[in-house]
Each structure stands twice: as C-alpha cells, then as structure tokens.
Amino acid sequence: MEENFNPVAQTRANYYTPGSPVQFVCVELLKGDVSGEHAVCLTFKNISRVTLTALEIHFKCKGVDGVILCEDKFEYRDLQVKPGELFGQDDAVFITAKAITSVDVTLCNVYNGKRVVHLDGIKRVRLPAPRRLAPELQKALEARMNRTGLKYQPQVFENGWYCACGAFHPTEEDTVYCSECGCDRILLQNALNTLLQPAAPADEMEMPLNAPAAPAAPAAVEEPTRIVGAAPAAPAAPVEEPTRVVGAPVYEPKADPIQPVSEPTRVLDASARAPLSGAAAADEGTRVIPARRPAPVRQPAPVEEDEEYEDSRDSVAEALIRWVPPITAILCAAIALCGFVYYQFVL
C-alpha cells in the first residue's frame, strides 16, 4: 500500500568533498501520514561537466540519545543526472519509527557510464556556518531580488561561496549562478551592499530635518565637519593663525631699507635744498659719477690686450702653415731615398 510522506525537517550539509564530481547537499526528514514513520531522504548535486549514471554512499543515522539507529550503504542506480541537477530527494535510504537527530553521509563511488571515480580516500572538509540576516534586511533583499528564502548573508571562501538561500557552491562547480534559487552571486552581493550602505546616512540626514528649531546642537554632534567650517568667524581667523600675522611684519623691514635708500634721501634733498649750499649738490653728483666710470675704463684695456694677443698667435700660425708642409715633404723624400740606396747597394 502506497503512503504519502510529508516533509518535517530539512538540514543542509555542513561539509563537502573536495575534488568530487558530486556533492552532498542536504538531508530531509519525512513523516508518513498513515504509519507515522520517519523516512530519511538525501539530496545530491552533480557539479561536474558530464552526466552521472550511478552513485554509492555510506550513511549513518543517530537517534535522540546519540545511539546509531542505522549504518548501511545505499546505491543510486540508472541515473541520468546532467551537470547542475539535483537528485536523490525522492529515494528514502532509511525508514524508522524512532526520532532521528543527525545523519552522516560519506561518498564512496560515482559513475559516468563505465568510468568510476573512487571517493573513499578523500577527506571531507567542514564548512563554516552561514550567517543569518536580520528579518528586515531579509525582506528587503527578497523584494529586490524577487525571490523567497534568502535568509543568509552571501559569503565567498577559498573553497567556494555561500548563496543567500544557504546553498554552498564549491570551487569545482565553477559557476556564479545558484542552482537552487537561481540567484547571480555578483548581483546578489551588489544588492546586499546597496541595502547596507545607505542605512546609516539616511538616519543622519533625517535628524537635522526633523529638528529645525535647534540646528546648532544636532549639527555639533552629528556633523562635526560643518561646525568646524562655521565656527571660525572673521575675527577668530586672524587670532588663531598667528603665523600669518607675524609673517607680515617680517617682510616689512626688508622693504624698509630699500625704500629709505631712495625715498628718504630724495625727501631730505627736496626739503633741504633751500638752506643747503651748492656744495651739497656737488657732493651728490660726485657720488653718482664714480659709479659709472669703471665701466668705460675697463672695457678698452682688455680689448687691446686681446687684439695684440690674437695678432701674435696669428703670425706664428701663418709661419707654421707656410713652412711645415715643405719641410715635411723634404724629410719624407730623404728617408725614402736613404732606404732605396740601402736596399740596392748594401743588401
């Protein structure tokens, strides 16, 4: 007699098998509507690029007191599981009337036609627990992604990534799409970041708008940068910046000696020219004239010396140019003649 089993509880796997083409996804506990017995169903996923035809596992079920209720092997035969598909959720591996608290699953062998991959020697890796989202953030994320069941925070690890639905995708799967809820990992993370970023600025912007009567107090607490810009008024700036005040008089004495050299002498001359005698004016002229004399006196002397020096050098150069070529030709001819006579008559 056939019996309907209704889902009672579901728990995702907290570990995965590195390098395996198939991964254990979750365990589901069903209860019969007639007998009341509990059926254990396991769900697996094909994360390879080929079609799987069979799978052999070893499972262990424990009761409330930690006693092992069943430990056995189970085989999934005549499968045609394509890449990315789930399977096994319709096959009960164990049925019991006792309550079950935990199920341990070990992958043994997986088949692709006649090809078999042995997984017994691969050490399983425990996964970190997914982080639960706040109820308000969960509803906002589900509304933005237009999906339900997004209860966890998306996370990326060295060995894979968690989707918001709680599904873990190992690096061997090599995908950014969740095979269970259909979410895109990048879009999902961007949507969550968008929901998290404006939360704090929105609260800060609402408070000054809701309290316009006393803008000084809230602005001082929430926006210190604005207070710093408004507090230093016109009289406060010169008081708090002594370097600018001190810097102005430092440059004034440097300008003073330049101005007194020309201006005070001119003022004294203009005001005292009447009482002073003509000797004062003569003295001023003598001071100015000697400053101009060195320029014309120094110029002609070096010019004449340079011309004489250049003339003497030119005469020597002309003599060398005139007599060196013929003397050189005569010496070469003499050397050649001596050599000819030596080889002809001496040797």
Side-chain angles (χ1 to χ4, degrees), residues 16-23 47 117 119 122 172:
Y16 86 105
T17 306
S20 173
V22 62
Q23 294 295 336
I47 63 172
V117 179
L119 307 174
I122 299 179
E172 291 82 1

Side-chain angles (χ1 to χ4, degrees), residues 318-334:
E318 290 178 359
L320 292 175
I321 293 172
R322 179 180 300 176
W323 296 106
V324 167
I327 294 174
T328 304
I330 295 172
L331 291 176
C332 293

